């Protein structure tokens, strides 16, 4: 019989890209173009883009570049990504996972802005959570914990009562810095020591408890 790990929480905080929505194809197309424009090796750029807002990635890659230029490029990048939904699909298991959360406390915490989040969630045919923390909601990008702390506060729960679902190093670091446990989703996440790890969301079963808690059951 397969082994099962159970984590108990009172609210779930969900990253979007590569956690519930597979947008890897779009991300790669847009960032490869930007890498060529900057004369940077595309593979090096793709190693650091996940989880952060675009301007933060640019600042990490080009530390001497004026921030105004990063912000301008970020606006252009968001427009390109919002318009390009080719290949955007749900992560395996995401439709059932999101359906199970419909009546449970949960929030989207993403580095995308609201237009991009709506475009990708719509393309993947996933319901947009009522509570969403997007790029417009925060002053600092992941790995800063601000987004997850705001998500917990909006839902009305203490950080230690929240369970984060994330795929990237920056996101997992942000969840830990917020004092939360983290379920890492996907191959990339396994490298960053999350509390628990799954290949995809088909390994997750969510159950409401009579005391108001949420049991997240993770199958091997």
């Amino acid at each position: 019989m397969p082994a099962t790990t159970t984590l108990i929480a009172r609210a779930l905080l969900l990253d979007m890209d590569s956690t519930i929505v597979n947008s890897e194809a779009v991300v790669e197309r847009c960032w490869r173009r930007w890498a060529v424009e900057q004369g940077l090796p595309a593979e090096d750029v793709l190693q650091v883009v996940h989880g952060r807002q675009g301007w933060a990635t640019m600042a990490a890659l080009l530390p001497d570049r004026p921030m105004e230029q990063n912000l301008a490029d970020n606006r252009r990048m968001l427009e390109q990504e919002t318009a390009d939904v080719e290949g955007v699909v749900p992560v395996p298991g995401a439709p059932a996972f999101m359906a199970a959360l419909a009546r449970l406390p949960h929030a989207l915490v993403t580095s995308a802005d609201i237009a991009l989040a709506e475009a990708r969630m719509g393309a993947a045919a996933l319901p947009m959570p009522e509570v969403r923390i997007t790029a417009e909601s925060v002053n600092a990008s992941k790995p800063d914990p601000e987004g997850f702390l705001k998500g917990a506060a909006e839902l009305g729960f203490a950080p230690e009562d929240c369970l984060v679902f994330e795929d990237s190093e920056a996101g997992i670091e942000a969840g830990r810095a917020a004092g939360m446990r983290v379920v890492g989703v996907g191959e990339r996440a396994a490298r960053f020591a999350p509390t628990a790890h799954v290949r995809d969301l088909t390994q997750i079963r969510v159950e409401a408890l009579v005391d108001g808690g949420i049991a997240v059951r993770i199958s091997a």
Side-chain angles (χ1 to χ4, degrees):
M1 185 174 181
T4 300
T5 299
T6 300
L7 299 175
I8 305 297
R10 301 194 74 80
L12 306 185
L13 303 179
L14 318 175
D15 176 52
M16 180 179 70
D17 292 303
S18 300
T19 300
I20 56 175
V21 173
N22 182 345
S23 55
E24 299 267 345
V26 180
V27 170
E28 183 164 329
R29 282 195 294 271
C30 291
W31 281 98
R32 281 187 181 277
R33 282 197 298 266
W34 184 85
V36 169
E37 292 170 2
Q38 308 308 317
L40 296 172
E43 298 308 319
D44 292 350
V45 171
L46 291 173
Q47 288 297 313
V48 298
V49 299
H50 300 287
R52 296 181 176 90
Q53 292 188 41
W55 59 264
T57 294
M58 295 169 190
L61 290 164
L62 298 170
D64 297 326
R65 193 179 197 231
M67 184 55 71
E68 293 79 7
Q69 195 170 350
N70 294 336
L71 293 170
D73 274 10
N74 185 60
R75 287 191 292 271
R76 179 168 58 95
M77 179 81 72
L78 285 170
E79 291 173 359
Q80 292 172 352
E81 290 186 294
T82 301
D84 183 358
V85 293
E86 183 179 353
V88 174
V89 295
V91 166
F97 175 70
M98 295 301 290
L101 299 188
R103 298 180 181 277
L104 301 175
H106 68 287
L108 190 72
V109 181
T110 175
S111 294
D113 66 5
I114 188 62
L116 180 56
E118 288 179 344
R120 287 186 176 165
M121 293 290 282
L126 294 175
M128 176 67 83
E130 182 177 341
V131 176
R132 73 290 302 260
I133 305 298
T134 61
E136 297 94 337
S137 310
V138 298
N139 295 310
S141 173
K142 297 171 186 175
D144 190 282
E146 181 186 5
F148 287 123
L149 292 172
K150 282 196 169 183
E154 288 208 19
L155 291 171
F157 293 97
E160 60 269 25
D161 290 329
C162 297
L163 184 62
V164 168
F165 286 75
E166 263 286 0
D167 74 292
S168 70
E169 180 177 18
I172 291 170
E173 286 183 6
R176 281 200 295 254
M180 302 172 184
R181 294 159 297 157
V182 182
V183 176
V185 180
E187 182 179 352
R188 179 169 51 240
R191 302 197 298 271
F192 309 119
T195 309
H197 175 258
V198 294
R199 175 185 63 256
D200 57 43
L201 296 172
T202 62
Q203 292 177 255
I204 299 285
R205 185 164 59 88
V206 177
E207 178 185 344
L209 302 176
V210 292
D211 66 356
I214 303 169
V216 176
R217 308 199 191 279
I218 302 169
S219 61

